[in-house]
Amino acid sequence: MMTIDEALRLIAGTMILISLYLAVTLSLNWLWFTGFIALNLIQSAFTQWCPMITLLKKFGLKQNH
């Protein structure tokens, strides 16, 4: 079973690739979403809190130990 850390990296990477694709094909405004993802990752490094981790825990994923 996938852990929270693995799922978080998978989701963040996927969302970044999707937003870059949308920026190239539809509108450069999608880069704001890419920036939001980056800022969320940066703030979670300092605060030790990430909304996606909270959600993944509710879905039953386990932490690495």
Side-chain angles (χ1 to χ4, degrees):
M1 178 176 222
M2 187 174 287
T3 65
I4 287 177
D5 294 336
E6 295 164 341
L8 182 63
R9 287 192 292 266
L10 176 64
I11 292 166
T14 301
M15 295 306 290
I16 289 170
L17 286 176
I18 289 170
S19 67
L20 290 174
Y21 173 77
L22 292 170
V24 169
T25 59
L26 296 178
S27 169
L28 289 178
N29 285 325
W30 280 101
L31 292 177
W32 289 103
F33 185 56
T34 310
F36 170 77
I37 296 166
L39 287 174
N40 191 7
L41 290 168
I42 291 167
Q43 75 80 26
S44 71
F46 289 103
T47 65
Q48 304 302 309
W49 180 77
C50 174
M52 183 55 72
I53 288 177
T54 304
L55 186 63
L56 292 171
K57 284 180 183 177
K58 288 185 181 186
F59 284 132
L61 273 73
K62 304 293 181 202
Q63 295 275 128
N64 283 346
H65 290 285

